């Protein structure tokens, strides 16, 4: 018994130490994968979670871009712009729920993967578009704008990975923004050739190929 007690007393602190170290490491990694302003997943963290969700046939990939964000910053200051980004992030995360995931890809661009339980993705995103356009609580009522949404149902393109689906959603979002349509579902045509997942007109995109329209 004395020997067992001695062994336990010598190994327990070491075991506890490793457990605390592992917890701190997981916490540090999770923090590194979170955007400091919005609390959403950064691109790496979003990619990990979203890729897993794409195995579910109900998955919908959404790309969201704040309309005329520079105008808000210029007119009301960066604090107001930050408040708008934070509100957009909170609302998108709430809509994604615990079964989905939302992330900030950079600047005023966000992405999400939602699980569509009832096959009503278009209706859900129309509701989300309205929610995202609401004024920001505690801010000047004029600190508001719309958010253009492009989306694609992953089951429509079973051979495509997250990067390809985001490109389709990105092109649909751009079409929605140009038409001031609010939301747009990606069509079934071929993808525009892009570089590093950027659509035509964005930094890093090829300019020697025609753009393909998307279905409403």
């Amino acid at each position: 018994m004395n020997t067992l007690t001695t062994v336990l007393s010598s190994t327990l602190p070491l075991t506890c130490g490793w457990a605390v170290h592992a917890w701190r490491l997981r916490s540090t990694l999770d923090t590194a994968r979170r955007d400091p302003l919005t609390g959403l997943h950064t691109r790496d963290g979003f990619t990990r979670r979203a890729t897993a969700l794409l195995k579910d046939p109900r998955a919908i990939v959404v790309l969201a871009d704040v309309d005329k964000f520079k105008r808000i910053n210029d007119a009301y200051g960066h604090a107001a712009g930050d408040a708008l980004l934070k509100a957009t992030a909170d609302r998108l995360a709430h809509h994604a729920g615990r079964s989905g995931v939302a992330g900030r890809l950079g600047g005023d661009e966000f992405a999400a993967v939602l699980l569509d339980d009832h096959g009503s993705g278009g209706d859900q995103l129309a509701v989300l578009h309205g929610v995202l356009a609401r004024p920001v609580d505690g801010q000047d009522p004029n600190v508001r704008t719309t958010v253009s949404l492009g989306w694609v149902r992953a089951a429509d393109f079973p051979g495509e990975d997250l990067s390809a689906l985001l490109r389709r959603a990105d092109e649909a979002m751009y079409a929605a923004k140009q038409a001031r349509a609010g939301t747009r579902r990606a069509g079934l045509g071929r993808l525009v050739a892009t570089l590093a997942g950027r659509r035509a007109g964005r930094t890093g995109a090829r300019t020697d190929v025609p753009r393909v329209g998307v279905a409403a």
Side-chain angles (χ1 to χ4, degrees), residues 26-101:
R26 285 195 300 270
S27 179
T28 300
L29 288 173
D30 184 63
T31 300
R33 293 176 182 143
R34 295 280 179 173
D35 174 55
L37 172 64
T38 65
L40 292 185
H41 291 283
T42 58
R43 185 179 291 272
D44 287 345
F46 171 77
T47 298
R48 291 169 64 91
R49 173 66 175 149
T51 298
L53 286 174
L54 290 183
K55 298 175 183 178
D56 193 310
R58 300 170 296 169
I60 288 177
V61 178
V62 182
L63 199 84
D65 191 87
V66 180
D67 298 323
K68 301 179 181 178
F69 179 68
K70 185 177 183 301
R71 185 188 67 182
I72 296 293
N73 268 344
D74 292 345
Y76 302 100
H78 288 282
D82 286 351
L84 178 59
L85 292 177
K86 183 67 168 59
T88 299
D90 289 346
R91 293 164 181 175
L92 184 60
H94 179 76
H95 194 85
R98 299 186 65 178
S99 63
V101 64

Side-chain angles (χ1 to χ4, degrees), residues 154-193:
D156 289 341
F157 305 94
E160 295 191 357
D161 62 6
L162 177 64
S163 178
L165 293 170
L166 281 172
R167 288 199 298 273
R168 290 189 182 276
D170 185 53
E171 290 176 9
M173 183 277 296
Y174 183 71
K177 188 181 291 286
Q178 292 296 97
R180 299 182 180 178
T183 69
R184 185 67 66 95
R185 181 178 179 178
L188 301 180
R190 68 179 181 84
L191 270 171
V192 174

